[in-house]
Amino acid sequence: MTDALETLRQDVRRWLAAHAPQGWREYCTSNEAFLDLQRRWFATLAGGGYAVPHWPAEWPGGGRSLAEQKVIYEEFARADTPRLLLSFMSTYHAASTLFEWGSAAQQQRYIPRILEGEIWCQGFSEPNAGSDLASLKTRAERQGDVYIVNGQKLWSTMGQFADKCLLLVRTSNEGAKQAGLTYLLLDLKARGVTARPIHQIHGDEEFAELFLDNVEIPVEDRLGAEGQGWAVAQSTLSSERGLTLLELSARMRGALWRIADLIRAGGRENDPGILRDFGRLATKIDATCAIADQFLANRIAGEERVGDASIVKLSYSRTLREFTLLGLRLGGMDAQYHEPITFGGGMETGNWMADFMNSYAWTIAGGSDEVQRNIIAERLLNMPREPKSWTLAGDAA
Protein backbone atom coordinates (compact mmCIF):
# COMPACT_ATOMS: atom_id res chain seq x y z
CA MET A 1 0.00 0.00 0.00
CA THR A 2 1.63 3.22 -1.20
CA ASP A 3 0.93 6.70 0.15
CA ALA A 4 -0.95 7.52 -3.05
CA LEU A 5 -3.22 4.49 -2.67
CA GLU A 6 -3.88 5.29 0.98
CA THR A 7 -4.77 8.86 0.00
CA LEU A 8 -7.16 7.49 -2.61
CA ARG A 9 -8.73 5.18 -0.03
CA GLN A 10 -9.40 8.09 2.31
CA ASP A 11 -10.81 10.18 -0.55
CA VAL A 12 -13.19 7.39 -1.57
CA ARG A 13 -14.19 6.82 2.05
CA ARG A 14 -15.04 10.51 2.54
CA TRP A 15 -16.97 10.64 -0.73
CA LEU A 16 -19.00 7.56 0.23
CA ALA A 17 -19.78 9.02 3.63
CA ALA A 18 -21.43 11.95 1.85
CA HIS A 19 -23.05 10.16 -1.12
CA ALA A 20 -23.69 6.46 -0.38
CA PRO A 21 -27.44 5.71 -0.35
CA GLN A 22 -28.88 4.98 3.08
CA GLY A 23 -31.58 2.40 3.80
CA TRP A 24 -31.41 1.03 0.28
CA ARG A 25 -31.93 -2.59 1.34
CA GLU A 26 -35.24 -1.74 2.98
CA TYR A 27 -36.23 0.33 -0.05
CA CYS A 28 -35.55 -2.27 -2.76
CA THR A 29 -38.54 -4.54 -2.23
CA SER A 30 -39.88 -4.28 -5.80
CA ASN A 31 -38.52 -4.17 -9.32
CA GLU A 32 -39.62 -0.56 -9.61
CA ALA A 33 -37.64 0.46 -6.53
CA PHE A 34 -34.63 -1.55 -7.71
CA LEU A 35 -34.62 0.17 -11.11
CA ASP A 36 -35.00 3.60 -9.52
CA LEU A 37 -32.15 3.07 -7.05
CA GLN A 38 -29.81 1.54 -9.61
CA ARG A 39 -30.28 4.40 -12.06
CA ARG A 40 -29.86 7.09 -9.39
CA TRP A 41 -26.80 5.40 -7.86
CA PHE A 42 -25.09 4.97 -11.23
CA ALA A 43 -25.71 8.63 -12.05
CA THR A 44 -24.26 9.63 -8.67
CA LEU A 45 -21.15 7.51 -9.26
CA ALA A 46 -20.73 8.87 -12.78
CA GLY A 47 -20.92 12.40 -11.44
CA GLY A 48 -18.34 11.61 -8.76
CA GLY A 49 -15.95 9.88 -11.18
CA TYR A 50 -16.33 6.38 -9.69
CA ALA A 51 -18.64 4.66 -12.19
CA VAL A 52 -16.03 3.47 -14.73
CA PRO A 53 -12.52 3.54 -13.21
CA HIS A 54 -11.58 0.67 -15.56
CA TRP A 55 -12.28 2.71 -18.72
CA PRO A 56 -9.56 4.61 -20.61
CA ALA A 57 -8.36 7.89 -19.14
CA GLU A 58 -10.25 10.10 -21.58
CA TRP A 59 -13.53 9.17 -19.89
CA PRO A 60 -14.65 10.72 -16.55
CA GLY A 61 -13.03 8.78 -13.72
CA GLY A 62 -11.26 6.40 -16.11
CA GLY A 63 -7.61 5.49 -16.43
CA ARG A 64 -7.30 4.01 -12.94
CA SER A 65 -4.66 1.35 -12.38
CA LEU A 66 -5.73 -2.10 -11.23
CA ALA A 67 -4.36 -1.32 -7.77
CA GLU A 68 -6.49 1.85 -7.64
CA GLN A 69 -9.57 -0.02 -8.83
CA LYS A 70 -9.01 -2.56 -6.07
CA VAL A 71 -9.03 0.20 -3.44
CA ILE A 72 -12.20 1.73 -4.85
CA TYR A 73 -14.11 -1.56 -4.91
CA GLU A 74 -12.90 -2.52 -1.45
CA GLU A 75 -14.31 0.73 -0.10
CA PHE A 76 -17.63 0.20 -1.89
CA ALA A 77 -17.82 -3.22 -0.25
CA ARG A 78 -16.89 -1.82 3.17
CA ALA A 79 -19.62 0.83 2.90
CA ASP A 80 -22.18 -1.81 1.78
CA THR A 81 -23.20 0.22 -1.26
CA PRO A 82 -25.54 -1.30 -3.87
CA ARG A 83 -23.76 -3.32 -6.52
CA LEU A 84 -24.23 -1.89 -10.00
CA LEU A 85 -26.19 -4.86 -11.27
CA LEU A 86 -28.30 -2.98 -13.80
CA SER A 87 -25.33 -1.31 -15.54
CA PHE A 88 -22.79 -4.10 -15.04
CA MET A 89 -23.10 -5.59 -18.52
CA SER A 90 -22.99 -2.09 -19.99
CA THR A 91 -19.86 -0.79 -18.30
CA TYR A 92 -17.87 -4.04 -18.47
CA HIS A 93 -18.99 -6.42 -21.21
CA ALA A 94 -20.38 -3.93 -23.73
CA ALA A 95 -17.82 -1.19 -23.18
CA SER A 96 -14.76 -3.46 -23.20
CA THR A 97 -15.95 -5.20 -26.36
CA LEU A 98 -16.63 -1.88 -28.08
CA PHE A 99 -13.24 -0.49 -27.03
CA GLU A 100 -11.47 -3.52 -28.51
CA TRP A 101 -13.59 -4.32 -31.57
CA GLY A 102 -15.79 -1.33 -32.29
CA SER A 103 -15.15 1.07 -35.13
CA ALA A 104 -14.63 4.75 -34.35
CA ALA A 105 -18.22 5.42 -35.41
CA GLN A 106 -19.57 2.62 -33.18
CA GLN A 107 -17.59 3.85 -30.19
CA GLN A 108 -18.74 7.43 -30.68
CA ARG A 109 -22.31 6.26 -30.98
CA TYR A 110 -22.56 3.84 -28.08
CA ILE A 111 -19.92 4.57 -25.41
CA PRO A 112 -21.30 7.98 -24.32
CA ARG A 113 -24.79 6.49 -24.04
CA ILE A 114 -23.52 3.86 -21.60
CA LEU A 115 -22.14 6.59 -19.33
CA GLU A 116 -25.50 8.34 -19.60
CA GLY A 117 -27.23 5.20 -18.30
CA GLU A 118 -28.12 3.11 -21.36
CA ILE A 119 -28.55 -0.52 -20.29
CA TRP A 120 -27.05 -3.45 -22.19
CA CYS A 121 -27.53 -7.19 -21.80
CA GLN A 122 -25.86 -10.25 -23.31
CA GLY A 123 -27.51 -12.61 -25.80
CA PHE A 124 -25.22 -15.63 -25.89
CA SER A 125 -26.76 -18.69 -24.18
CA GLU A 126 -29.67 -20.60 -25.68
CA PRO A 127 -31.88 -23.47 -24.47
CA ASN A 128 -29.49 -25.98 -26.05
CA ALA A 129 -26.30 -23.91 -26.06
CA GLY A 130 -24.95 -23.03 -22.64
CA SER A 131 -21.59 -24.55 -21.73
CA ASP A 132 -21.22 -25.53 -25.40
CA LEU A 133 -21.79 -22.01 -26.67
CA ALA A 134 -20.47 -22.76 -30.16
CA SER A 135 -23.50 -24.97 -30.83
CA LEU A 136 -25.93 -22.02 -30.77
CA LYS A 137 -28.72 -22.01 -33.37
CA THR A 138 -30.00 -18.40 -33.55
CA ARG A 139 -29.74 -17.63 -37.23
CA ALA A 140 -28.86 -14.38 -39.00
CA GLU A 141 -29.21 -14.12 -42.77
CA ARG A 142 -27.84 -11.11 -44.56
CA GLN A 143 -30.21 -9.36 -46.93
CA GLY A 144 -28.58 -6.28 -48.39
CA ASP A 145 -27.67 -3.85 -45.61
CA VAL A 146 -29.40 -5.78 -42.80
CA TYR A 147 -29.31 -9.15 -41.08
CA ILE A 148 -32.64 -10.94 -40.52
CA VAL A 149 -32.39 -12.72 -37.17
CA ASN A 150 -34.53 -15.55 -35.82
CA GLY A 151 -34.00 -17.53 -32.64
CA GLN A 152 -34.12 -17.55 -28.86
CA LYS A 153 -31.67 -16.48 -26.16
CA LEU A 154 -31.77 -17.58 -22.50
CA TRP A 155 -30.37 -16.39 -19.16
CA SER A 156 -29.86 -12.84 -20.36
CA THR A 157 -29.02 -10.89 -17.20
CA MET A 158 -31.31 -7.85 -16.82
CA GLY A 159 -32.53 -8.48 -20.36
CA GLN A 160 -36.08 -7.39 -19.54
CA PHE A 161 -34.80 -3.93 -18.55
CA ALA A 162 -32.13 -3.48 -21.23
CA ASP A 163 -32.02 -1.11 -24.19
CA LYS A 164 -29.35 -2.92 -26.23
CA CYS A 165 -27.99 -6.46 -26.49
CA LEU A 166 -24.63 -8.04 -27.36
CA LEU A 167 -25.90 -10.75 -29.70
CA LEU A 168 -24.03 -13.83 -30.91
CA VAL A 169 -25.63 -15.46 -33.96
CA ARG A 170 -24.92 -18.10 -36.58
CA THR A 171 -24.35 -16.90 -40.13
CA SER A 172 -22.85 -20.11 -41.54
CA ASN A 173 -22.93 -23.88 -40.96
CA GLU A 174 -19.75 -24.55 -42.90
CA GLY A 175 -16.52 -25.60 -41.20
CA ALA A 176 -15.99 -25.61 -37.44
CA LYS A 177 -18.92 -24.50 -35.29
CA GLN A 178 -16.98 -21.48 -34.02
CA ALA A 179 -16.19 -20.32 -37.55
CA GLY A 180 -19.84 -19.72 -38.40
CA LEU A 181 -20.59 -17.20 -35.63
CA THR A 182 -21.04 -13.45 -36.02
CA TYR A 183 -21.35 -10.73 -33.38
CA LEU A 184 -24.14 -8.12 -33.69
CA LEU A 185 -25.42 -5.17 -31.64
CA LEU A 186 -29.19 -5.48 -31.20
CA ASP A 187 -31.65 -2.70 -30.38
CA LEU A 188 -34.12 -4.39 -28.03
CA LYS A 189 -36.81 -1.89 -29.05
CA ALA A 190 -36.65 -3.23 -32.62
CA ARG A 191 -39.70 -4.91 -34.11
CA GLY A 192 -39.83 -8.66 -33.53
CA VAL A 193 -38.01 -8.65 -30.17
CA THR A 194 -39.79 -10.06 -27.11
CA ALA A 195 -38.15 -10.09 -23.65
CA ARG A 196 -39.71 -12.29 -20.99
CA PRO A 197 -38.41 -12.28 -17.39
CA ILE A 198 -37.53 -15.62 -15.77
CA HIS A 199 -38.95 -16.00 -12.26
CA GLN A 200 -36.36 -17.60 -9.96
CA ILE A 201 -36.94 -19.89 -7.01
CA HIS A 202 -36.06 -17.25 -4.40
CA GLY A 203 -38.38 -14.62 -5.90
CA ASP A 204 -36.02 -12.52 -8.02
CA GLU A 205 -36.22 -11.97 -11.77
CA GLU A 206 -32.58 -11.32 -12.57
CA PHE A 207 -32.66 -12.98 -15.99
CA ALA A 208 -34.78 -12.91 -19.13
CA GLU A 209 -35.27 -14.97 -22.26
CA LEU A 210 -35.29 -13.16 -25.58
CA PHE A 211 -37.35 -14.21 -28.61
CA LEU A 212 -36.25 -12.89 -32.02
CA ASP A 213 -38.71 -13.12 -34.90
CA ASN A 214 -37.48 -11.69 -38.21
CA VAL A 215 -35.60 -8.94 -36.39
CA GLU A 216 -33.66 -6.56 -38.65
CA ILE A 217 -30.17 -5.52 -37.53
CA PRO A 218 -28.15 -3.14 -39.73
CA VAL A 219 -24.85 -4.53 -41.02
CA GLU A 220 -23.18 -1.42 -39.59
CA ASP A 221 -24.03 -2.82 -36.14
CA ARG A 222 -21.74 -5.83 -36.59
CA LEU A 223 -18.57 -6.08 -34.48
CA GLY A 224 -15.66 -7.61 -36.35
CA ALA A 225 -16.03 -9.41 -39.65
CA GLU A 226 -18.73 -11.91 -40.47
CA GLY A 227 -17.63 -15.26 -39.02
CA GLN A 228 -15.39 -13.60 -36.43
CA GLY A 229 -17.99 -13.68 -33.67
CA TRP A 230 -16.25 -16.35 -31.59
CA ALA A 231 -13.12 -14.22 -31.18
CA VAL A 232 -15.19 -11.14 -30.29
CA ALA A 233 -17.21 -13.15 -27.76
CA GLN A 234 -14.04 -14.32 -25.99
CA SER A 235 -13.12 -10.67 -25.40
CA THR A 236 -16.56 -10.06 -23.91
CA LEU A 237 -16.38 -13.04 -21.57
CA SER A 238 -12.91 -12.17 -20.23
CA SER A 239 -13.71 -8.52 -19.50
CA GLU A 240 -14.43 -8.44 -15.78
CA ARG A 241 -13.95 -11.65 -13.83
CA GLY A 242 -10.97 -10.79 -11.63
CA LEU A 243 -12.09 -7.47 -10.14
CA THR A 244 -15.68 -8.63 -9.78
CA LEU A 245 -14.67 -11.62 -7.69
CA LEU A 246 -12.34 -9.47 -5.62
CA GLU A 247 -15.26 -7.14 -4.82
CA LEU A 248 -17.63 -10.03 -4.07
CA SER A 249 -15.10 -11.68 -1.75
CA ALA A 250 -14.65 -8.41 0.12
CA ARG A 251 -18.43 -8.06 0.47
CA MET A 252 -18.67 -11.57 1.93
CA ARG A 253 -15.92 -10.77 4.44
CA GLY A 254 -17.72 -7.55 5.35
CA ALA A 255 -20.93 -9.50 6.02
CA LEU A 256 -19.39 -11.88 8.59
CA TRP A 257 -20.99 -9.75 11.31
CA ARG A 258 -24.34 -11.22 10.29
CA ILE A 259 -23.12 -14.68 11.32
CA ALA A 260 -21.63 -13.30 14.54
CA ASP A 261 -24.95 -11.61 15.37
CA LEU A 262 -26.77 -14.92 14.97
CA ILE A 263 -24.32 -16.62 17.34
CA ARG A 264 -24.80 -13.91 19.97
CA ALA A 265 -28.58 -13.82 19.52
CA GLY A 266 -28.74 -17.55 20.16
CA GLY A 267 -26.51 -17.33 23.25
CA ARG A 268 -23.99 -19.69 21.65
CA GLU A 269 -20.81 -17.67 22.13
CA ASN A 270 -19.28 -20.56 24.11
CA ASP A 271 -20.53 -23.42 21.95
CA PRO A 272 -17.31 -25.11 20.75
CA GLY A 273 -18.95 -26.65 17.68
CA ILE A 274 -20.42 -23.34 16.54
CA LEU A 275 -17.18 -21.48 17.19
CA ARG A 276 -15.30 -24.13 15.24
CA ASP A 277 -17.62 -23.75 12.24
CA PHE A 278 -17.44 -19.95 12.45
CA GLY A 279 -13.65 -20.07 12.63
CA ARG A 280 -13.43 -22.37 9.62
CA LEU A 281 -15.74 -20.11 7.62
CA ALA A 282 -13.82 -16.95 8.54
CA THR A 283 -10.56 -18.66 7.56
CA LYS A 284 -11.98 -19.74 4.20
CA ILE A 285 -13.26 -16.23 3.51
CA ASP A 286 -9.85 -14.77 4.36
CA ALA A 287 -8.24 -17.36 2.08
CA THR A 288 -10.63 -16.48 -0.77
CA CYS A 289 -9.80 -12.79 -0.37
CA ALA A 290 -6.08 -13.62 -0.34
CA ILE A 291 -6.45 -15.71 -3.51
CA ALA A 292 -8.27 -12.82 -5.20
CA ASP A 293 -5.54 -10.39 -4.06
CA GLN A 294 -2.83 -12.68 -5.43
CA PHE A 295 -4.70 -13.00 -8.73
CA LEU A 296 -4.80 -9.23 -9.06
CA ALA A 297 -1.12 -8.92 -8.11
CA ASN A 298 -0.23 -11.44 -10.83
CA ARG A 299 -2.29 -9.52 -13.38
CA ILE A 300 -0.62 -6.21 -12.43
CA ALA A 301 2.80 -7.85 -12.75
CA GLY A 302 1.92 -9.40 -16.10
CA GLU A 303 2.20 -12.89 -14.65
CA GLU A 304 -1.42 -14.03 -14.88
CA ARG A 305 -1.83 -17.56 -16.20
CA VAL A 306 -4.76 -19.12 -18.00
CA GLY A 307 -6.75 -20.71 -15.20
CA ASP A 308 -5.84 -18.29 -12.40
CA ALA A 309 -9.27 -16.66 -12.58
CA SER A 310 -10.85 -20.11 -12.31
CA ILE A 311 -9.16 -20.63 -8.93
CA VAL A 312 -10.71 -17.41 -7.63
CA LYS A 313 -14.13 -18.25 -9.06
CA LEU A 314 -14.12 -21.78 -7.60
CA SER A 315 -12.96 -20.61 -4.18
CA TYR A 316 -15.60 -17.88 -4.03
CA SER A 317 -18.54 -20.03 -5.14
CA ARG A 318 -17.77 -22.83 -2.67
CA THR A 319 -17.15 -20.47 0.25
CA LEU A 320 -20.34 -18.52 -0.48
CA ARG A 321 -22.38 -21.70 -0.18
CA GLU A 322 -20.78 -22.45 3.19
CA PHE A 323 -21.45 -18.87 4.36
CA THR A 324 -25.15 -18.99 3.52
CA LEU A 325 -25.55 -22.53 4.85
CA LEU A 326 -24.11 -21.60 8.24
CA GLY A 327 -26.41 -18.59 8.41
CA LEU A 328 -29.37 -20.82 7.56
CA ARG A 329 -28.43 -23.31 10.29
CA LEU A 330 -27.87 -20.68 12.95
CA GLY A 331 -31.07 -18.86 12.06
CA GLY A 332 -33.14 -21.85 13.13
CA MET A 333 -36.80 -22.09 12.18
CA ASP A 334 -37.07 -18.35 11.59
CA ALA A 335 -34.52 -18.62 8.79
CA GLN A 336 -36.50 -21.40 7.11
CA TYR A 337 -39.32 -19.07 6.14
CA HIS A 338 -39.16 -17.43 2.73
CA GLU A 339 -39.07 -13.71 3.41
CA PRO A 340 -39.55 -11.05 0.69
CA ILE A 341 -36.21 -10.54 -1.00
CA THR A 342 -34.14 -7.41 -1.41
CA PHE A 343 -34.01 -6.89 -5.18
CA GLY A 344 -30.40 -6.50 -6.21
CA GLY A 345 -29.26 -7.14 -2.65
CA GLY A 346 -26.52 -9.62 -3.41
CA MET A 347 -25.88 -12.95 -1.68
CA GLU A 348 -25.22 -11.83 1.91
CA THR A 349 -28.45 -10.01 2.80
CA GLY A 350 -29.29 -11.93 5.97
CA ASN A 351 -32.45 -13.29 4.32
CA TRP A 352 -30.94 -16.70 4.82
CA MET A 353 -33.26 -18.94 2.82
CA ALA A 354 -33.10 -16.65 -0.22
CA ASP A 355 -29.33 -16.18 0.19
CA PHE A 356 -28.80 -19.94 0.42
CA MET A 357 -30.81 -20.67 -2.71
CA ASN A 358 -29.14 -17.80 -4.55
CA SER A 359 -25.67 -19.07 -3.62
CA TYR A 360 -26.15 -22.10 -5.86
CA ALA A 361 -26.39 -19.82 -8.88
CA TRP A 362 -22.73 -18.89 -8.38
CA THR A 363 -21.68 -22.52 -8.79
CA ILE A 364 -23.06 -22.25 -12.35
CA ALA A 365 -22.92 -18.58 -13.44
CA GLY A 366 -19.77 -17.51 -15.26
CA GLY A 367 -18.73 -21.14 -15.75
CA SER A 368 -19.80 -24.03 -13.52
CA ASP A 369 -17.59 -25.42 -10.76
CA GLU A 370 -17.01 -28.49 -12.91
CA VAL A 371 -15.82 -26.34 -15.81
CA GLN A 372 -13.50 -24.39 -13.50
CA ARG A 373 -11.98 -27.61 -12.17
CA ASN A 374 -11.35 -28.82 -15.71
CA ILE A 375 -9.62 -25.55 -16.60
CA ILE A 376 -7.45 -25.69 -13.48
CA ALA A 377 -6.56 -29.36 -14.07
CA GLU A 378 -5.78 -28.98 -17.77
CA ARG A 379 -4.27 -25.50 -18.00
CA LEU A 380 -2.47 -25.15 -14.65
CA LEU A 381 -1.73 -28.73 -13.58
CA ASN A 382 -1.10 -30.04 -17.13
CA MET A 383 -3.35 -33.04 -16.58
CA PRO A 384 -4.78 -34.91 -19.60
CA ARG A 385 -7.65 -33.12 -21.31
CA GLU A 386 -11.14 -34.45 -20.73
CA PRO A 387 -12.27 -36.54 -23.73
CA LYS A 388 -14.83 -34.80 -25.94
CA SER A 389 -16.85 -38.01 -26.12
CA TRP A 390 -16.62 -41.59 -24.96
CA THR A 391 -18.30 -44.94 -25.75
CA LEU A 392 -19.05 -47.83 -23.45
CA ALA A 393 -17.08 -50.94 -24.33
CA GLY A 394 -20.31 -52.89 -24.67
CA ASP A 395 -21.75 -50.34 -27.12
CA ALA A 396 -18.57 -50.37 -29.16
CA ALA A 397 -18.75 -54.14 -29.44
Side-chain angles (χ1 to χ4, degrees), residues 41-340:
W41 180 227
F42 181 79
T44 300
L45 288 170
Y50 293 113
V52 288
H54 56 292
W55 283 19
E58 59 265 29
W59 297 95
R64 295 285 191 180
S65 68
L66 286 172
E68 290 173 323
Q69 293 176 53
K70 175 178 183 289
V71 168
I72 291 170
Y73 292 128
E74 283 178 343
E75 289 305 306
F76 286 174
R78 186 194 65 81
D80 190 31
T81 60
R83 289 189 64 215
L84 292 175
L85 298 175
L86 188 64
S87 56
F88 183 80
M89 288 286 175
S90 311
T91 59
Y92 279 96
H93 296 69
S96 65
T97 309
L98 284 163
F99 283 134
E100 183 170 352
W101 291 92
S103 65
Q106 289 171 329
Q107 292 179 8
Q108 291 169 8
R109 180 182 179 188
Y110 290 118
I111 297 295
R113 294 182 186 179
I114 292 175
L115 202 54
E116 292 167 2
E118 187 170 72
I119 303 304
W120 288 67
C121 68
Q122 185 172 296
F124 284 16
S125 296
E126 298 180 4
N128 295 307
S131 57
D132 184 14
L133 183 59
S135 64
L136 64 86
K137 303 295 184 185
T138 295
R139 182 77 183 177
E141 296 182 5
R142 182 167 179 174
Q143 296 183 9
D145 294 333
V146 300
Y147 286 98
I148 307 299
V149 182
N150 287 278
Q152 178 185 357
K153 294 296 180 177
L154 196 61
W155 305 120
S156 180
T157 303
M158 301 292 161
Q160 66 271 42
F161 308 124
D163 304 298
K164 298 288 190 297
C165 177
L166 304 169
L167 188 67
L168 196 59
V169 298
R170 181 164 298 284
T171 49
S172 173
N173 289 314
E174 297 180 4
K177 292 185 294 185
Q178 291 86 345
L181 302 182
T182 298
Y183 201 109
L184 303 175
L185 307 177
L186 167 66
D187 182 352
L188 289 172
K189 304 301 188 294
R191 198 159 116 194
V193 178
T194 302
R196 182 183 300 165
I198 299 172
H199 190 74
Q200 295 162 253
I201 190 173
H202 63 298
D204 204 349
E205 293 180 343
E206 184 181 357
F207 307 100
E209 52 185 340
L210 306 176
F211 298 91
L212 310 172
D213 299 304
N214 292 321
V215 178
E216 294 188 4
I217 301 178
V219 173
E220 65 182 19
D221 281 338
R222 184 185 68 208
L223 287 186
E226 187 169 300
Q228 205 174 13
W230 184 257
V232 182
Q234 298 313 301
S235 299
T236 302
L237 294 171
S238 64
S239 63
E240 45 67 40
R241 175 168 289 173
L243 282 169
T244 299
L245 291 170
L246 187 147
E247 179 191 357
L248 290 172
S249 300
R251 286 181 180 272
M252 183 164 53
R253 173 190 271 164
L256 261 176
W257 64 268
R258 296 185 185 279
I259 302 288
D261 276 0
L262 287 175
I263 295 174
R264 285 190 288 264
R268 307 178 75 174
E269 298 95 329
N270 297 315
D271 186 320
I274 294 299
L275 294 180
R276 176 200 62 208
D277 292 344
F278 180 75
R280 286 177 176 173
L281 175 63
T283 301
K284 287 185 177 181
I285 292 176
D286 278 347
T288 298
C289 290
I291 291 170
D293 283 347
Q294 185 60 55
F295 167 82
L296 187 62
N298 290 345
R299 176 173 285 187
I300 292 172
E303 299 173 356
E304 179 185 353
R305 302 165 297 174
V306 176
D308 281 348
S310 295
I311 297 177
V312 187
K313 168 65 167 59
L314 184 63
S315 178
Y316 173 76
S317 64
R318 304 305 296 181
T319 305
L320 178 65
R321 279 178 54 176
E322 293 191 30
F323 175 93
T324 58
L325 178 60
L326 183 56
L328 191 63
R329 283 175 46 209
L330 293 173
M333 286 302 298
D334 288 342
Q336 301 294 319
Y337 294 104
H338 187 270
E339 301 288 345

